[in-house]
Amino acid sequence: MSHYEMPIAEYVYTEHFEEMNITQDVYLTFTNKKNSSDQFLYVYDLLKEYDWLPTKCDGSIRLSQSHRRWRKRLKKNLKKNGIFINMNCTTAKKNNNTSDRYRSSGNEAFKIKNYEESLKLYTRSIMTAEIDSPNFALSVANRSAALYYLEEYEHSLKDIDQTFKSKQYPLKNYYKLFERKGNCYLQMNHTSLALELYT
């Protein structure tokens, strides 16, 4: 039995989108937005489209009917597998142990070249990792590799830059990021940038 400590909204929405087979499209569209304002509007429109927006009722927030139905069904399915989530809480602590488990599963999928599955698992690892932790940096770096092999070079570059920015990635492995960044630029026909990084 286990209790997955992660923000319930992140868990529920991810599961919901996964069931509808649109997780990757949502992720790619979201990261493609130019700024946080555009990202907010995209998420808002998405929740509105799937009837997931909460409403205000007598001074309190009321979840949409489809969201409540989904939460009930998810809780029941998870309970069968010995997983218990408090559906009444809106936030929970980030947990590096949970993040590690997702990253390890992602690594296993990556080894057998199941890059789409590894992308999903690395994203979950990022979501559950403690902010500014080595776990977060490792998960983002790993996801950049999955994105590279899925030929999502621009998104891979964003994750590589995010990893550098975190300053939590092991210095001894920086060469992997420089090489991957160079490979991305090479695939995008930016040969001079690629050579610069290889040097």
Side-chain angles (χ1 to χ4, degrees):
M1 291 187 188
S2 60
H3 181 101
Y4 282 52
E5 290 190 338
M6 67 184 290
I8 191 61
E10 287 179 359
Y11 190 92
V12 174
Y13 292 141
T14 305
E15 289 290 313
H16 186 58
F17 292 141
E18 211 165 90
E19 190 180 78
M20 295 188 298
N21 207 24
I22 60 167
T23 308
Q24 193 173 341
D25 293 336
V26 168
Y27 164 73
L28 294 175
T29 307
F30 180 83
T31 54
N32 227 16
K33 298 297 175 186
K34 291 176 184 174
N35 53 50
S36 57
S37 179
D38 288 349
Q39 288 175 337
F40 171 82
L41 290 172
Y42 171 66
V43 172
Y44 179 85
D45 289 340
L46 196 64
L47 295 178
K48 193 174 180 182
E49 181 185 341
Y50 289 102
D51 188 30
W52 272 52
L53 278 177
T55 54
K56 234 178 176 182
C57 180
D58 298 327
S60 61
I61 300 294
R62 183 174 171 78
L63 296 174
S64 70
Q65 189 177 358
S66 59
H67 192 159
R68 288 196 309 273
R69 262 197 310 263
W70 171 255
R71 279 164 56 119
K72 195 174 179 180
R73 190 159 47 104
L74 176 65
K75 189 175 181 179
K76 190 178 175 183
N77 290 338
L78 291 173
K79 195 175 178 182
K80 283 181 192 172
N81 296 309
I83 300 168
F84 297 93
I85 293 183
N86 180 3
M87 292 291 185
N88 297 321
C89 68
T90 53
T91 58
K93 289 180 183 174
K94 298 275 187 179
N95 186 308
N96 280 336
N97 291 330
T98 304
S99 175
D100 271 340
R101 286 196 296 273
Y102 281 127
R103 189 160 46 86
S104 295
S105 298
N107 291 343
E108 292 305 312
F110 189 87
K111 281 177 195 170
I112 59 170
K113 299 183 179 183
N114 188 346
Y115 302 123
E116 285 191 10
E117 184 62 20
S118 68
L119 175 66
K120 290 177 191 174
L121 291 161
Y122 291 144
T123 299
R124 286 186 175 193
S125 182
I126 292 164
M127 284 169 26
T128 52
E130 292 171 25
I131 305 299
D132 296 328
S133 68
N135 290 64
F136 180 82
L138 289 165
S139 300
V140 176
N142 287 8
R143 187 173 68 180
S144 75
L147 287 164
Y148 173 79
Y149 284 104
L150 287 167
E151 299 179 12
E152 296 287 349
Y153 305 120
E154 285 184 20
H155 296 293
S156 180
L157 286 170
K158 283 180 185 177
D159 274 359
I160 291 166
D161 289 341
Q162 179 68 41
T163 306
F164 281 130
K165 211 181 289 181
S166 75
K167 297 179 182 172
Q168 292 293 327
Y169 192 70
L171 282 172
K172 63 179 183 178
N173 292 336
Y174 264 40
Y175 74 94
K176 292 180 182 179
L177 296 177
F178 284 119
E179 185 180 1
R180 191 173 304 135
K181 194 169 185 176
N183 290 342
C184 285
Y185 281 131
L186 200 60
Q187 294 296 333
M188 295 164 74
N189 295 319
H190 299 310
T191 313
S192 57
L193 286 171
L195 289 172
E196 205 176 298
L197 284 157
Y198 293 146
T199 305

